[in-house]
């Protein structure tokens, strides 16, 4: 009995918005005052229902480019062949575990697969707690580690944000090592070490509770914190403090991993450390729901308490085929080196622009993960939040998609698909220059 | 620059096992003493590397049949077109939300999308806690609701199982309403009501803590509990008690939803109740990582605290295209009625077999979700765990895949893809008869 999927109506933006209001999660916000209806993606571009091309500078999920043909073909072929769970033997999962672990220092050789970055951070916590037999966790201020109940408890971005219930007692928040806005600035060569000293307070607070720290979570470049590059020496010193207190160190590479940082495949490498656990998500499957955890064999072994970690979907042959294709494309197209080249060009152009536009307070980043912080005053650092939003709307009118982040929502966050080209970068710099001229 | 995915080596079972040991989650167990390497799936069959066909009676994830062409085609087409997040407008997500909510009673009209059943149950808890402003939860003994830290705290199957840390103080466990093995048996027409009375104890324990119940979670047919069909009246009475105490009632349909129960599209309907929240996973995307939560508008509105629920992958156009195709196939192929027909045939055949095989203690189920409990003695109900395992290995030798479940691991669990045919059912009954004859 042949069947075929029923055609999906082509609705107007207004009708879609009305149906969202009626049938979808009402807490889900849309991008832009006038949301866009996108119907197609290719490379660094999204196309709306009228065929207009938008340059996508905000999507670090479609990592190797929207609908990359190699990734699409790998997913299509495996979907038609087999999609089942990991209780059977399959080539794809072991090939993927081997290939993924080969991108890490040799110590990090054991892979756990999940369906999202949230599930990866959740699993990392279970592993850390089991290994350390401890309960408390140290996180960095303004961090976001996921949308599950456990990760919201761990994310100052959420628990201190709108609707948040504040810091839970088993979580300690370390000062954000922001060397533009924080206590220690760029001109201090020891800023990283000074910021890391704040972990002593967190550890002392945990001990005062009669508890021990299980883990120190830190994104390798801070995302929701405002695209903040960690000052030199921060992770080395912070990891030393955490390890001395018995905690494991977890690098959250959900936003910045897989070559985006340019100089390194994993952004933690720039800090000269080897984490105990690394978590991955967003770019890992170019949009396909996937996540992963990698850790040391001795930590993985300690997790063998008799309680299995089985995940119905994770590690299935389709997800692994897609994950493998993403790794292939990054390598074959030299996307890490490309991110370095285009990222350096953007950083240079933005720093030049800073000389002419007082709104630009700070330019920072690594590879294709860049933040441009807008301020009204270079002494007080008063956030130029409305101006940042005006930039976003100006760029939208010129069909460039960008968004803001940071505690004051005044940081332009650049994290385009990795195929973002030098021409794309030039176009963006020209339009940003226009936007800043018009707004200031 | 054209790229192509690197070929994936075709490894022997031994090599795959060795690589799993080296690079994969060591807590992940494999099916069977001699694990199978599966390379292809179609309909109700999996095929090993030598081309042998195995009848799959254990996979309720590949719901409309392995690699169903309609579902595969929908996923393939959308993958090549666009896969991005829900901050843009798209037809697929509103079509899916509308179509999915149309399968529920009118009260349940608001859909939240996730990447897994675990994420769905995690989100349901956040919603329930926000709506009720309460913290404690009542669950049914032996229940499994997911692999996240929060869901392990909520799952007696996990926290009372190997490596478990026992019941957390904010969780109360209600007696399992098992009318074969429990306090109240099938001959008691009020068994359901009596079992539901145990919620009074749970509620009293929560009040004694000075807390209130946020939610009562219950699978609509109990899975890890041993494929237990809820006695008539159980959910009506249990929901009444939970509601009176201020809790919301959450139906976990991750295992049994989407027509599998035969008589109804959602298994809770057999109990004459309307839950406040329903969670879905496994079959929703025929193996694609997806999950969903549906709830009442007033509960969804109460979740609007300012804290957004945004999920990077969930609700993307590919997942929604696949989810829509699954709904289309269930409807077009009449799979719910088919599950009823084949399920009734199996139940009848199994009940006949029970007359000749003393090992069969109980036959129960609904549609294509059936449990056959094996016991050594019909009075003491001593579990025939080793015998159940011998049945599984006998069937494997005859290329039928089945597994066991329940607190004593003595329940054969039948939950094949919904395209499982009458011929398949006849073959299974014949082989099971042989297995029981040989073992007893």
């Amino acid at each position: 009995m042949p069947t075929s999927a029923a055609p999906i109506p082509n609705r107007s933006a207004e009708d879609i918005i009305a149906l969202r209001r009626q049938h979808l999660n009402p807490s889900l916000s849309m991008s832009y005052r006038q949301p866009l209806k996108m119907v197609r993606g290719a490379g660094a571009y999204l196309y709306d229902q009228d065929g207009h091309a938008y340059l996508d500078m905000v999507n670090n999920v479609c990592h190797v480019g929207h609908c990359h043909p190699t990734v699409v073909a790998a997913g299509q072929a495996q979907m038609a062949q087999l999609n089942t769970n990991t209780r059977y033997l399959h080539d794809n999962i072991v090939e993927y575990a081997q290939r993924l672990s080969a991108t890490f220092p040799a110590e990090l050789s054991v892979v756990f697969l999940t369906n999202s970055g949230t599930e990866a951070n959740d699993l990392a916590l279970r592993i850390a707690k089991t290994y350390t037999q401890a309960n408390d966790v140290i996180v960095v201020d303004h961090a976001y580690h996921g949308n599950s109940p456990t990760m919201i408890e761990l994310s100052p971005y959420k628990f201190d944000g709108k609707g948040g219930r504040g810091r839970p007692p088993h979580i300690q928040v370390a000062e954000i090592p922001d060397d533009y806005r924080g206590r220690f600035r760029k001109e201090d060569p020891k800023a990283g070490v000074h910021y890391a000293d704040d972990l002593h307070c967190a550890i002392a607070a945990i001990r005062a509770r009669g508890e021990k720290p299980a883990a120190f979570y830190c994104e390798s470049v801070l995302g929701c914190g405002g695209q903040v590059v960690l000052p030199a020496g921060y992770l080395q010193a912070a990891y030393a403090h955490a390890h001395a207190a018995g905690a494991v160190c977890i690098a959250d590479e959900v936003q910045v991993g897989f070559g985006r940082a340019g100089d390194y495949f994993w952004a933690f490498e720039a800090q000269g450390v080897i984490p105990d656990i690394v978590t991955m998500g967003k770019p890992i499957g170019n949009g396909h729901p996937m996540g992963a955890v990698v850790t040391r064999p001795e930590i993985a072994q300690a997790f063998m308490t008799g309680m299995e970690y089985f995940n119905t979907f994770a590690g299935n042959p389709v997800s692994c085929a897609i994950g493998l294709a993403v790794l292939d494309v990054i390598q074959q197209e030299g996307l890490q080196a490309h991110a370095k080249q285009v990222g350096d060009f953007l950083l240079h152009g933005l720093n030049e622009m800073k000389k002419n536009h007082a709104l630009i307070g700070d330019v920072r980043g690594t590879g294709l993960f860049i933040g441009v912080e807008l301020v009204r005053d270079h002494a007080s650092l008063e956030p130029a939040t409305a101006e940042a939003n005006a930039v976003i709307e100006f760029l939208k009118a010129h069909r460039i998609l960008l968004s803001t982040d940071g505690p004051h929502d005044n940081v332009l966050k650049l994290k385009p698909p990795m195929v973002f080209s030098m021409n794309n970068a030039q176009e963006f710099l020209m339009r940003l220059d226009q936007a800043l001229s018009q707004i200031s």
Side-chain angles (χ1 to χ4, degrees), chain A:
Chain A
M1 34 185 165
T3 58
S4 65
I8 299 168
N10 180 11
R11 293 185 165 91
S12 68
E14 293 68 34
D15 286 354
I16 292 177
I17 292 170
L19 277 170
R20 282 175 73 117
R21 287 219 180 92
Q22 195 178 352
H23 289 300
L24 259 193
N25 168 10
S27 80
L28 192 59
S29 70
M30 288 171 281
S31 294
Y32 302 113
R33 286 180 291 238
Q34 298 251 307
L36 293 163
K37 178 180 176 184
M38 296 302 187
V39 300
R40 191 163 75 80
Y45 290 90
L46 286 171
Y47 298 83
D48 73 9
Q49 80 270 40
D50 299 318
H52 297 129
Y54 285 79
L55 180 59
D56 183 356
M57 294 190 61
V58 79
N59 201 327
N60 59 345
V61 176
C62 297
H63 189 62
V64 299
H66 287 282
C67 303
H68 191 289
T70 304
V71 177
V72 169
Q76 287 177 329
Q78 188 59 53
M79 282 176 110
Q81 186 76 13
L82 179 66
N83 186 9
T84 191
N85 67 50
T86 52
R87 300 239 191 257
Y88 301 113
L89 303 176
H90 199 276
D91 287 309
N92 291 10
I93 191 170
V94 293
E95 183 72 7
Y96 187 62
Q98 190 176 39
R99 288 275 306 279
L100 184 64
S101 65
T103 66
F104 286 97
E107 292 87 337
L108 296 168
S109 61
V110 182
V111 173
F112 294 67
L113 296 167
T114 70
N115 300 305
S116 67
T118 292
E119 285 192 357
N121 276 325
D122 261 351
L123 174 59
L125 183 63
R126 280 183 58 192
I127 295 172
K129 283 184 166 186
T130 305
Y131 180 69
T132 59
Q133 293 293 305
N135 183 56
D136 285 17
V137 177
I138 304 165
V139 297
V140 174
D141 205 4
H142 306 295
Y144 175 62
H145 296 293
N147 58 46
S148 67
T150 307
M151 284 303 121
I152 286 170
E153 287 188 346
L154 223 89
S155 298
Y157 173 72
K158 286 293 201 182
F159 67 64
D160 282 338
K162 276 187 204 162
R165 294 172 168 206
R167 180 179 63 81
H170 65 289
I171 304 296
Q172 300 299 328
V173 178
E175 186 174 6
I176 183 171
D178 176 348
D179 62 10
Y180 174 66
R181 193 173 273 282
R183 279 196 300 152
F184 310 102
R185 301 287 170 90
K186 289 188 212 298
E187 54 275 16
D188 182 350
K190 293 284 231 175
V193 174
H194 294 326
Y195 280 118
D197 279 342
D198 197 52
L199 266 75
H200 289 309
C201 298
I203 293 163
I206 290 168
R207 287 188 176 140
R209 278 168 36 81
E211 296 285 345
K212 290 181 296 181
F216 168 56
Y217 273 77
C218 186
E219 296 167 276
S220 301
V221 183
L222 310 181
C224 293
Q227 312 284 101
V228 174
V229 178
L230 301 174
Y234 177 71
L235 280 188
Q236 269 187 354
Y239 278 17
H241 301 331
H243 281 149
V248 299
C249 295
I250 299 174
D252 181 332
E253 292 266 345
V254 170
Q255 294 242 33
V256 293
F258 292 93
R260 177 168 294 279
D263 286 319
Y264 301 96
F265 198 80
W266 302 107
F268 68 75
E269 297 176 86
Q271 290 270 315
V273 293
I274 301 178
D276 302 302
I277 300 176
V278 182
T279 59
M280 292 150 268
K282 295 190 190 296
I284 189 172
N286 217 43
H288 184 81
M290 279 181 80
V293 172
V294 64
T295 189
R296 303 168 190 265
E298 63 272 24
I299 296 177
Q301 281 303 320
F303 192 55
M304 295 281 286
T305 59
M307 186 188 292
E308 185 174 21
Y309 180 76
F310 173 73
N311 183 316
T312 296
F313 302 129
N316 71 71
V318 176
S319 296
C320 292
I322 288 171
L324 281 164
V326 169
L327 292 177
D328 286 333
V329 172
I330 294 170
Q331 187 173 27
Q332 290 174 24
E333 298 188 4
L335 291 180
Q336 182 185 323
H338 178 78
K340 165 78 175 156
Q341 184 197 10
V342 182
D344 282 352
F345 177 79
L346 280 168
L347 287 169
H348 176 77
L350 290 163
N351 274 309
E352 289 299 306
M353 206 177 296
K354 184 168 179 265
K355 297 174 185 165
N356 303 319
H357 292 289
L359 266 178
I360 300 183
D362 191 37
V363 173
R364 59 204 178 221
T366 172
L368 284 172
F369 198 78
I370 292 173
V372 183
E373 180 153 0
L374 303 189
V375 294
R376 291 184 183 151
D377 184 293
H378 284 242
S380 73
L381 307 187
E382 184 189 350
T385 304
E387 293 85 344
N389 195 255
V391 169
I392 299 304
E393 291 287 344
F394 179 96
L395 292 174
K396 181 200 173 200
H398 292 86
R399 304 208 175 110
I400 296 175
L401 306 172
L402 195 71
S403 67
T404 58
D405 219 328
H408 310 287
D409 237 355
N410 66 325
V411 180
L412 307 178
K413 60 175 170 182
L414 283 59
K415 43 174 190 155
M418 299 265 284
V419 292
F420 188 83
S421 69
M422 292 294 277
N423 282 346
N424 294 151
Q426 279 167 334
E427 183 196 346
F428 165 71
L429 290 171
M430 181 194 70
R431 290 297 183 196
L432 180 62
D433 191 51
Q434 291 177 348
L436 293 171
S437 299
Q438 184 181 302
I439 288 158
S440 60

